[in-house]
């Protein structure tokens, strides 16, 4: 954290090359987020380049009291939203998407049939496919929490939502993914 | 205790419960086969999702980004905004200066113009004509400003110093905005 602040100061003093270290540190987590949101690797890499340029040109606006990782993810999140808007890709508002919630009630009845099938290697591909089917707002929350390992607090900050809402939505995202996995069977 | 909800199971697995709640969940699990099954299932699910493969960027990705940053060009929009910003700032500063210094400054400009006219050839004549136009524009702005001040003075009984204060008060936000934009452009490399 302290090193990162020092790095930012160096960049702001005009040492452009120091930005390479920021790129190296965040390229993989951001690619995992952006890549899984747009699902196409080439598009994701183009978007990622744009995101890093945006981070660089906005760095002077960064407030050092704010966690840098959260700030970076917030920029990436806004960029992905802009990308969807430009491509006119519609995302369902979370409040209206209640389809999975009523189904949650029947989930415990299906537990036994699923349990034996959790073989990690086999499940990876299935999870990736299910993840692609998960609608974007849920997928985003799921990726941040389980792939980028962001805390609930960080996600609440990025999405500008209360902590309780974020926790509840991430729970719903997991259960929706589970339902999609069942459909894969 | 009633059977555990899937939400509670996740909270338990991710150690997000209070010690009391955790104890109650453990207690319930000892006596409920169905909830133990649910727990095992969700634990497997969490393990599986945490082991998803990571997407890796190409090895030269950092170099590509850095190349773009270092070779960032000057955008047309940036040039227009910067030039407009600077012209506005300089013009307003000059108006302010003329107002503060009074007519003497205009006379100095006129003398400068006349001496320029007397001692230069074609190219400088062109420049001098440009200077004359600028001086004319400044004169118009100045007299317009004076008329506005006069009209205002008839309504509000303010002195010259108060008006200067008002003028500076109006210019200051513009100056701050100009510097802010300029700093941003400087930093992004657009002006370098």
């Amino acid at each position: 954290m302290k090193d990162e602040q020092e790095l930012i100061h160096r960049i702001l003093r005009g040492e452009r090359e120091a930005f390479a270290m920021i790129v190296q540190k965040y390229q993989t987590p951001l690619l995992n987020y952006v890549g899984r949101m747009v699902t196409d690797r080439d598009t994701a890499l183009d978007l990622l380049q744009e995101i890093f340029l945006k981070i660089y040109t906005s760095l002077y606006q960064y407030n050092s009291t704010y966690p840098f990782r959260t700030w970076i993810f917030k920029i990436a999140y806004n960029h992905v939203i802009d990308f969807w808007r430009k491509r006119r890709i519609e995302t369902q508002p979370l409040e209206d998407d209640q389809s999975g919630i009523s189904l949650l009630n029947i989930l415990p009845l299906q537990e036994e049939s699923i349990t034996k099938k959790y073989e990690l290697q086999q499940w990876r591909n299935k999870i990736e496919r299910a993840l692609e089917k998960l609608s974007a707002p849920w997928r985003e929350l799921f990726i941040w929490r389980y792939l980028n390992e962001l805390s609930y607090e960080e996600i609440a900050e990025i999405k500008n939502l209360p902590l309780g809402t974020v926790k509840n939505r991430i729970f719903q995202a997991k259960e929706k993914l589970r339902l999609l996995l069942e459909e894969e069977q | 205790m009633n059977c555990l909800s899937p939400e509670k199971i996740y909270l338990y697995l991710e150690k997000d419960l209070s010690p009391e709640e955790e104890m109650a969940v453990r207690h319930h699990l000892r006596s409920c086969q169905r909830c133990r099954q649910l727990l095992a299932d969700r634990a497997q699910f969490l393990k599986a999702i945490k082991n998803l493969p990571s997407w890796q960027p190409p090895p030269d990705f950092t170099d590509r980004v850095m190349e773009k940053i270092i070779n960032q060009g000057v955008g047309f929009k940036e040039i227009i905004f910067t030039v407009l910003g600077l012209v506005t700032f300089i013009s307003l500063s000059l108006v302010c200066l003329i107002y503060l210094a009074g007519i003497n400054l205009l006379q100095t400009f006129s003398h400068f113009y006349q001496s320029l006219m007397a001692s230069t050839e074609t190219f400088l004549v062109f420049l001098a004509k440009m200077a004359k136009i600028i001086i004319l524009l400044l004169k118009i702005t100045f007299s317009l400003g004076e008329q506005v001040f006069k009209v205002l003075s008839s309504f509000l009984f303010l002195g010259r110093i108060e008006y200067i204060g008002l003028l500076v008060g109006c210019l200051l936000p513009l100056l701050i905005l100009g510097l802010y934009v300029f700093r941003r452009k400087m930093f992004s490399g657009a002006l370098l």
Side-chain angles (χ1 to χ4, degrees), chain B residues 74-127:
Chain B
V74 186
F76 179 70
K77 220 163 70 178
E78 277 85 2
I79 295 173
I80 294 292
F81 277 110
T82 312
V83 168
L84 276 179
L86 284 173
V87 166
T88 314
F89 176 65
I90 292 166
S91 312
L92 287 171
S93 307
L94 274 175
V95 170
C96 197
L97 193 68
I98 290 167
Y99 187 75
L100 286 170
I103 203 72
N104 290 338
L105 193 76
L106 280 178
Q107 280 169 355
T108 316
F109 272 125
S110 298
H111 288 156
F112 171 71
Y113 164 71
Q114 279 163 9
S115 59
L116 203 64
M117 282 292 283
S119 64
T120 52
E121 295 299 324
T122 353
F123 178 68
L124 285 175
V125 167
F126 168 75
L127 282 181

Side-chain angles (χ1 to χ4, degrees), chain A residues 16 19 27 32 36 41 49 53 56 60-61 108 111 115 118 120 124 146 152 171 174-175 178, chain B residues 7 10 14 34 37 41-42 44 51 53-56 61-62 66 68-70 184 187 189:
Chain A
R16 289 184 192 194
F19 190 71
Q27 59 185 1
N32 275 282
R36 282 182 168 97
R41 189 177 162 83
Q49 276 204 13
L53 284 178
Y56 179 76
Y60 72 99
Q61 289 175 319
E111 302 307 319
T115 313
Y118 282 125
L120 286 182
R124 280 181 179 170
Y146 294 102
Y152 288 117
F171 157 69
K174 277 183 288 200
E175 287 299 280
R178 263 177 43 78
Chain B
E7 190 168 12
Y10 281 125
E14 294 179 303
R34 191 170 170 275
Q37 185 66 60
D41 177 60
R42 296 301 195 277
Q44 286 276 36
N51 279 296
S54 175
W55 286 35
Q56 291 302 321
F61 183 77
T62 307
M66 290 312 293
K68 279 211 166 182
I69 283 172
I70 288 162
R184 182 176 173 183
F187 177 67

Side-chain angles (χ1 to χ4, degrees), chain B:
Chain B
M1 190 186 183
N2 292 330
C3 273
L4 303 169
S5 65
E7 190 168 12
K8 197 143 209 174
I9 295 275
Y10 281 125
L11 291 172
Y12 174 75
L13 285 167
E14 294 179 303
K15 303 193 189 314
D16 218 5
L17 288 175
S18 67
E20 296 78 26
E21 283 177 311
E22 205 176 306
M23 192 93 90
V25 168
R26 272 195 197 138
H27 183 73
H28 176 77
L29 284 170
R30 268 187 227 126
S31 59
C32 183
Q33 166 68 27
R34 191 170 170 275
C35 284
R36 279 205 299 276
Q37 185 66 60
L38 195 68
L39 181 87
D41 177 60
R42 296 301 195 277
Q44 286 276 36
F45 175 68
L46 282 181
K47 200 175 170 187
I49 60 178
K50 282 175 181 168
N51 279 296
L52 275 176
S54 175
W55 286 35
Q56 291 302 321
D60 64 340
F61 183 77
T62 307
D63 295 339
R64 268 154 52 187
V65 173
M66 290 312 293
E67 200 181 303
K68 279 211 166 182
I69 283 172
I70 288 162
N71 298 328
Q72 244 182 347
V74 186
F76 179 70
K77 220 163 70 178
E78 277 85 2
I79 295 173
I80 294 292
F81 277 110
T82 312
V83 168
L84 276 179
L86 284 173
V87 166
T88 314
F89 176 65
I90 292 166
S91 312
L92 287 171
S93 307
L94 274 175
V95 170
C96 197
L97 193 68
I98 290 167
Y99 187 75
L100 286 170
I103 203 72
N104 290 338
L105 193 76
L106 280 178
Q107 280 169 355
T108 316
F109 272 125
S110 298
H111 288 156
F112 171 71
Y113 164 71
Q114 279 163 9
S115 59
L116 203 64
M117 282 292 283
S119 64
T120 52
E121 295 299 324
T122 353
F123 178 68
L124 285 175
V125 167
F126 168 75
L127 282 181
K129 277 183 179 169
M130 289 301 289
K132 193 179 179 182
I133 291 168
I134 290 168
I135 289 166
L136 263 172
L137 282 172
L138 286 173
K139 273 182 180 171
I140 292 165
T141 319
F142 178 63
S143 52
L144 267 175
E146 277 231 308
Q147 290 307 315
V148 171
F149 286 138
K150 273 180 190 166
V151 173
L152 278 174
S153 304
S154 59
F155 291 109
L156 307 160
F157 304 91
L158 296 179
R160 179 174 266 223
I161 295 297
E162 283 89 342
Y163 283 118
I164 291 168
L166 268 175
L167 198 65
V168 171
C170 295
L171 283 177
L172 205 63
L174 273 171
L175 173 67
I176 292 166
L177 187 73
L179 288 174
Y180 177 79
V181 174
F182 189 69
R183 186 188 160 204
R184 182 176 173 183
K185 298 298 164 200
M186 277 291 283
F187 177 67
S188 67
L191 290 180
L192 300 175

Side-chain angles (χ1 to χ4, degrees), chain A residues 35-52:
Chain A
R36 282 182 168 97
M37 291 313 287
V38 300
T39 66
D40 173 64
R41 189 177 162 83
D42 290 337
T43 312
L45 285 169
D46 288 345
L47 272 181
L48 197 56
Q49 276 204 13
E50 290 167 18
I51 288 167
F52 277 117

